[in-house]
Amino acid sequence: MRKFGFAVVALLLLAVPAFAGTTIRVGHVLNPDHPWNVALEGLASDLAGATEGRVTLKVFHSAQLGNEKDLIEGLKMGTIDGALVGGSSFQSLDPKFGIEELPYAFASHEQAYRAFDGKLGEVLFGILKGKGIVGLAWWENGFRHISNNKRPIDKPEDLAGIKIRVTPQKMRLDTFTALGASPMPIPFGELYSALQQGVVDAQENPLVIFVSNAFSEVQKHLSLTGHIWTSAVLCVGTDVWDRISEEDRKAFLTLAAKWRDEERRMIREADAALVEEIRKKGVDVREVDKAPFREAVQGVWKSFEPTFGEELMKLVREAGE
């Protein structure tokens, strides 16, 4: 009887999921001093404490685990545990993730938060779940602005003939074609040298990326166009999520939201301070009237409405009102 009892206990123990000691390797492509990395390190510290070491994050910055395409593919295949990836990069899985690329969709950070923390974000995370990826929180990369080495950009006409590096998504290419520029898709890791060598004249990125990558060394003019607000998706693979207990999942989600808010705060405050820092580096920084830029890209909205569908377009418009 005692042997039978021990056997039953052993079988029961084997049936209990092995939730203890889960280490999640999280990759992203930005520099160690970027708010993404600072917030991820804060999340890692908090999560280890909240779960008493049962769940730990190991953060890999600067594309150490690969570029965003590599990270997304690895999440699908189960070779990457977790990532912080620009939301529009998930267009490789579903074109609906390009909806944040709609130029001038949001006039403020708060409008974007309202969309992505609400129904729009829920729909997109539902799509990810179907691809084997669990979205934990919508962080951000901020508003994108245009810099160049040719001349001040005050209106769309000033972009005529300027070769600008963009990400390879069709909407980004179409946006800058509509604005009169000559867009060229170049990997981010090659951007500095491309600007330095004159392969392209211009680039468009949030201010924190402009500064953290020392683009002031290779760019003379910066126009605060704020043409696109960009998200960042904190996510893990479903196989990783399934290894975490329900209690620890709740802690993870709570802390992902806490550090989402902190990361967003860092982005907003950085933007306010970075303009003066960039000016001190000798860059000509221009405020622009966004209305002519917004008018020039209305055709982009019309051409992509069939891709996103009426429901998602309505959610974006409502958040931007």
Side-chain angles (χ1 to χ4, degrees), residues 96-288:
K96 288 184 173 60
F97 277 89
I99 197 160
E100 72 177 53
E101 296 276 320
L102 285 168
Y104 293 102
F106 308 112
S108 67
H109 294 272
E110 290 71 25
Q111 288 181 358
Y113 302 161
R114 186 158 60 240
F116 284 88
D117 293 342
K119 181 64 175 177
L120 177 62
E122 290 177 12
V123 171
L124 295 175
F125 273 1
I127 293 172
L128 278 189
K129 189 173 182 180
K131 306 291 185 180
I133 300 170
V134 177
L136 304 177
W138 291 95
W139 293 16
E140 80 167 298
N141 204 10
F143 283 98
R144 304 179 79 91
H145 306 282
I146 299 170
S147 71
N148 84 100
N149 242 345
K150 288 290 187 180
R151 54 182 173 267
I153 303 298
D154 296 316
K155 54 189 183 300
E157 291 79 5
D158 296 329
L159 283 164
I162 286 184
K163 296 178 294 183
I164 184 168
R165 177 267 176 185
V166 297
T167 53
Q169 291 86 3
K170 185 177 187 301
M171 193 187 303
R172 193 74 62 88
L173 291 162
D174 289 356
T175 293
F176 280 93
T177 298
L179 289 171
S182 299
M184 297 176 60
I186 293 175
F188 183 78
E190 301 172 17
L191 176 53
Y192 185 96
S193 60
L195 292 168
Q196 189 177 45
Q197 296 167 16
V199 176
V200 288
D201 310 308
Q203 64 87 46
E204 46 91 40
N205 263 303
L207 297 181
V208 67
I209 289 183
F210 185 92
V211 171
S212 63
N213 288 273
F215 289 152
S216 60
E217 298 174 354
V218 289
Q219 297 278 265
K220 298 176 182 176
H221 307 282
L222 174 66
S223 296
L224 301 177
T225 49
H227 48 281
I228 296 170
W229 177 88
T230 50
S231 73
V233 176
L234 178 63
C235 54
V236 297
T238 52
D239 57 335
V240 173
W241 195 241
D242 289 343
R243 296 202 303 267
I244 303 173
S245 70
E246 183 176 353
E247 177 187 1
D248 290 342
R249 288 179 194 172
K250 290 179 180 177
F252 201 164
L253 289 169
T254 297
L255 291 171
K258 169 191 171 181
W259 283 98
R260 171 202 67 197
D261 294 344
E262 178 64 12
E263 186 267 349
R264 288 173 174 178
R265 182 194 64 77
M266 286 190 279
I267 290 286
R268 294 193 305 272
E269 291 187 359
D271 278 0
L274 287 175
V275 169
E276 290 309 311
E277 181 179 339
I278 292 168
R279 283 195 172 110
K280 289 177 181 178
K281 293 180 182 294
V283 178
D284 172 34
V285 181
R286 300 290 185 101
E287 297 279 355
V288 303

